[in-house]
Amino acid sequence: MRIISPFLILAVVLLTAETFAQVSLAPPAAAPDKPATPPPAKTAPAAKPKVRPTAKKPAPLPATTTAPVETPDDPNADLVYGAYQRGLYRTAFELATKRVQEKGDPKAMTMLGEIYANGFGLKRDDTKATEWYKRGADAGDREAMFELAMLKLAGRGGPVNREDAARLLASSAKLGNPKAAYNLALMYLGGETLPQDLRRAAELMRVAADAGSPEAQYALATFYKEGTGVPKDAEKAARLLQAASMAGNVDAEVEYAIALFNGTGTSKNEAAAITLLRKAAKQNSPIAQNRLARILASGQGVPVDKVEALKWHIIAKTAGKGDPDLDQALSGLSADDKAKAAVAVGKWLGTK
């Protein structure tokens, strides 16, 4: 049983949404949209795995917060984890300490590392977190191995050590940790700390994807889309995008919407595609906002709404996703329509 949630994870900087089939926009009289064909990639991008910001966790309770230990009805109940889940971090700390002293429990060691690493109920201490994670890792706990690897990658509790991190991730992945498999795959993809091995990266990404990781599902979909470490397979890419999209991965929502819109690897369904694009656009995806603007401006699958198109175009442009074709296609709007779009943009951006 996993007793902690990851507080650091490497961001997948792979083949981004731009490399997928794109909804094109021509002036109103143009032919229907067609997917843009990206240039063939001879090798996988040598992306540098990056450390993501610390995952948001429940706000720690005051350091003095404790609770009486209750006797559970289930003799197998984990009191340490139960206290941690309820936010009773000092109680979890005391119970974990006792369990380490009495039983040498590796998972209790990992819990102590987690509490110190995040400052839950006491002052954050990266050195102590590293010590406890190391004890848990040495005792064979796969979560401790993963978390210690993340600390080493971030340079917390000591200098950055990517080689040690890779070894820890490999050990954790071997014990079935999907988060470790995902991050190790990124290292094989990047080819810096480890020799670039696209096939091995794909294998590890598949392990994490099969375990339900939306990030891994999205990444593996890009592998199948581009033929990175696996044969190209648009249908498998679409299925993985669908799974990641259903799990809430915004990038996957955008790419699955584009696949649906163009019928790439899946049955064409413009209505479902537009619904997904609207959802992703409202989640601040500039690419979704741009594609939605194109569709609204051209009227493919929806009634033409150039005011709404201009709104999303400006919002995407503000986020750095410019589009000269849309600039031209929407330039003929009346002053009144442009003013309406500006008001809608102001409300979205919170400037009015």
Side-chain angles (χ1 to χ4, degrees):
M1 179 186 295
R2 183 178 185 276
I3 66 170
I4 58 178
S5 58
F7 59 89
L8 287 172
I9 195 167
L10 299 179
V12 57
V13 186
L14 304 168
L15 303 163
T16 65
E18 293 298 331
T19 66
F20 274 72
Q22 301 177 2
V23 177
S24 61
L25 172 72
D33 296 345
K34 294 184 182 296
T37 303
K42 296 182 180 179
T43 60
K48 296 181 180 180
K50 296 182 181 179
V51 178
R52 261 182 155 175
T54 302
K56 187 174 182 181
K57 294 191 175 184
L61 299 180
T64 57
T65 301
T66 57
V69 178
E70 300 176 359
T71 302
D73 296 331
D74 181 359
N76 296 317
D78 188 335
L79 294 178
V80 177
Y81 184 43
Y84 177 83
Q85 282 190 311
R86 288 181 291 152
L88 301 174
Y89 302 115
R90 283 297 296 272
T91 299
F93 178 83
E94 293 169 4
L95 289 170
T97 300
K98 182 178 180 181
R99 186 174 293 182
V100 169
Q101 292 171 343
E102 294 180 352
K103 301 180 179 181
D105 182 8
K107 290 192 177 298
M109 297 172 188
T110 304
M111 176 61 77
L112 291 173
E114 174 79 351
I115 291 172
Y116 275 119
N118 292 280
F120 285 167
L122 42 73
K123 184 178 179 180
R124 195 180 98 170
D125 191 324
D126 289 344
T127 299
K128 289 183 178 179
T130 298
E131 291 171 356
W132 281 114
Y133 280 143
K134 186 176 187 309
R135 287 185 63 178
D138 290 344
D141 185 67
R142 71 182 196 180
E143 295 294 339
M145 296 172 189
F146 173 76
E147 298 295 357
L148 182 57
M150 295 298 99
L151 289 186
K152 288 181 177 293
L153 286 169
R156 291 178 56 186
V160 172
N161 191 326
R162 298 180 64 83
E163 290 74 20
D164 278 358
R167 285 191 288 271
L168 286 162
L169 288 174
S171 297
S172 183
K174 190 173 182 180
L175 292 173
N177 189 332
K179 302 185 305 298
Y182 170 76
N183 288 288
L184 188 61
L186 293 182
M187 285 189 163
Y188 277 114
L189 182 67
E192 293 181 350
T193 306
L194 298 172
Q196 188 180 66
D197 187 334
L198 305 184
R199 184 174 298 178
R200 180 60 177 152
E203 290 172 353
L204 288 163
M205 206 63 80
R206 187 177 293 108
V207 169
D210 289 346
S213 165
E215 293 80 12
Q217 290 165 346
Y218 173 67
L220 187 58
T222 69
F223 283 21
Y224 278 114
K225 173 65 174 61
E226 299 297 328
T228 301
V230 293
K232 285 187 178 182
D233 192 322
E235 291 185 4
K236 286 184 179 179
R239 285 197 296 271
L240 285 160
L241 288 173
Q242 181 184 34
S245 175
M246 291 176 67
N249 184 288
V250 179
D251 291 331
E253 289 175 357
V254 176
E255 302 307 345
Y256 186 52
I258 294 172
L260 284 169
F261 192 88
N262 294 305
T264 305
T266 186
S267 300
K268 187 179 180 70
N269 190 331
E270 291 181 354
I274 293 167
T275 297
L276 263 182
L277 282 177
R278 288 187 187 278
K279 180 182 177 184
K282 291 177 181 178
Q283 295 177 83
N284 289 317
S285 166
I287 296 174
Q289 292 161 352
N290 171 259
R291 301 305 186 266
L292 182 58
R294 289 186 175 201
I295 289 170
L296 290 167
S298 65
Q300 185 172 347
V302 291
V304 172
D305 188 339
K306 291 193 174 183
V307 173
E308 185 75 359
L310 181 58
K311 180 193 91 171
W312 287 117
H313 173 48
I314 294 172
I315 291 169
K317 199 171 183 179
T318 301
K321 183 60 182 172
D323 190 328
D325 288 340
L326 274 176
D327 286 337
Q328 182 178 357
L330 300 173
S331 62
L333 266 66
S334 68
D336 285 346
D337 283 345
K338 289 179 180 178
K340 290 177 184 177
V343 170
V345 170
K347 288 180 179 179
W348 178 266
L349 299 177
T351 57
K352 183 175 181 180

